[in-house]
Amino acid sequence: MSESSAHRIVARFEIGYTQMLDETGQAVPDLPAFARDADALRSMYASLVRSRAFDQRAVVLQRTGQLGTYAASLGQEAIGTAMGMALQPQDVLIPAYREYAALFLRGVEMSSVLRYWGGDERGMDYAAEPARHDFPLCVPIGTQLPHAVGVAYAFHLRREPRVVLASCGDGATSKGDFHEAVSACGIWKLPLVIVISNNQWAISLPRSRQCAAQTLAQKAMAGGIRGEQVDGNDVIATRAVIEAALDRARAGEGPTLI
């Protein structure tokens, strides 16, 4: 509908997209500082390989009846690696159930994750720092996001320079828990960063059948917070975008949805 004396546009939004590596691995000219450090690149690559190897082994254990329910992370290693690399020790990670790379970078032992999926909840009783302050894997869809709001609100009240990084899948963005969390963190301008791992499936339902929005990032706009996209298979871009969001939240500039 065109503008007229009776009708006018009151708001417009844009969603930015960040990609630093193309599908052939070629990089853009101006990479962030950490991506120009050979040791940092090797560390990220090691995390990707370690997470992939763990996932492959866990799937074999599950398929042969030696492990219970197991949520695979094939293809999502870069997101977990970027999360783990971007977080500072004092921050709190509140994950869904595929962010194994982030857990390992935070000090969690692989045996602890296998213990949990084997049916022993003590596997989520982390002893190592800084994972000891993080939340366990969350299997119910989206219920971890209101918890993340509560933790971020505590940091806000205490004026602590700490940030909560919470993750979920694309299916969680269709749940009330997600929308309530986005609304609350926007109103209170909380130090919270929400990362949506969009693998195009909400359990067995394709994204096209559970959400008609052009992007999932635009759901941030309804809550009045910043929303953006990043190539989740590009570990450099994903780490850079998450780090920038964490820095903004730490500086009191509010939450971000990625």
Side-chain angles (χ1 to χ4, degrees):
M1 184 182 294
S2 61
E3 292 192 50
S4 67
S5 59
H7 174 83
R8 58 194 175 90
I9 303 299
V10 296
R12 286 188 174 91
F13 303 103
E14 292 183 344
I15 299 297
Y17 178 78
T18 302
Q19 183 184 47
M20 296 181 181
L21 297 174
D22 65 20
E23 63 275 11
T24 67
Q26 297 301 308
V28 299
D30 299 319
L31 290 174
F34 69 80
R36 297 192 295 271
D37 183 327
D39 288 335
L41 289 175
R42 277 191 287 266
S43 294
M44 287 190 292
Y45 184 70
S47 175
L48 296 174
V49 173
R50 181 169 60 246
S51 179
R52 176 68 63 90
F54 170 82
D55 188 67
Q56 290 174 335
R57 181 59 179 165
V59 168
V60 170
L61 291 172
Q62 195 277 331
R63 297 291 189 270
T64 55
Q66 300 176 73
L67 199 63
T69 300
Y70 173 75
S73 62
L74 180 66
Q76 298 183 205
E77 300 89 355
I79 300 174
T81 293
M83 291 169 61
M85 294 280 186
L87 283 164
Q88 293 188 10
Q90 72 270 21
D91 296 332
V92 170
L93 172 64
I94 301 184
Y97 49 67
R98 301 185 196 274
E99 292 74 21
Y100 306 120
L103 268 62
F104 300 151
L105 288 168
R106 300 279 285 174
V108 176
E109 297 289 339
M110 290 183 180
S111 57
S112 294
V113 178
L114 293 175
R115 185 179 188 182
Y116 172 75
W117 287 120
D120 190 339
E121 292 186 355
R122 289 174 296 181
M124 293 291 101
D125 184 14
Y126 310 136
E129 294 284 353
R132 189 170 65 85
H133 305 285
D134 296 337
F135 277 43
L137 298 179
C138 184
V139 175
I141 305 301
T143 58
Q144 73 275 24
L145 300 175
H147 301 160
V149 169
V151 177
Y153 195 76
F155 294 164
H156 175 69
L157 282 178
R158 297 171 184 169
R159 293 187 171 88
E160 296 178 349
R162 305 171 69 187
V163 182
V164 178
L165 179 58
S167 62
C168 65
D170 41 319
T173 69
S174 293
K175 293 200 65 184
D177 309 73
F178 170 85
H179 294 286
E180 291 165 11
V182 169
S183 178
C185 71
I187 290 170
W188 292 321
K189 206 173 182 180
L190 299 181
L192 172 61
V193 176
I194 300 174
V195 174
I196 303 168
S197 297
N198 178 15
N199 60 19
Q200 303 297 327
W201 288 89
I203 307 299
S204 58
L205 196 69
R207 184 206 180 288
S208 61
R209 291 186 58 197
Q210 63 98 8
C211 178
Q214 184 177 358
T215 72
L216 299 180
Q218 70 197 60
K219 297 188 178 188
M221 307 308 176
I225 70 174
R226 179 176 179 141
E228 58 184 305
Q229 282 190 340
V230 63
D231 181 354
N233 288 127
D234 181 342
V235 67
I236 294 175
T238 305
R239 176 177 170 179
V241 168
I242 293 176
E243 280 187 350
L246 292 171
D247 289 343
R248 288 193 301 270
R250 209 180 310 279
E253 298 177 20
T256 301
L257 176 68
I258 302 169

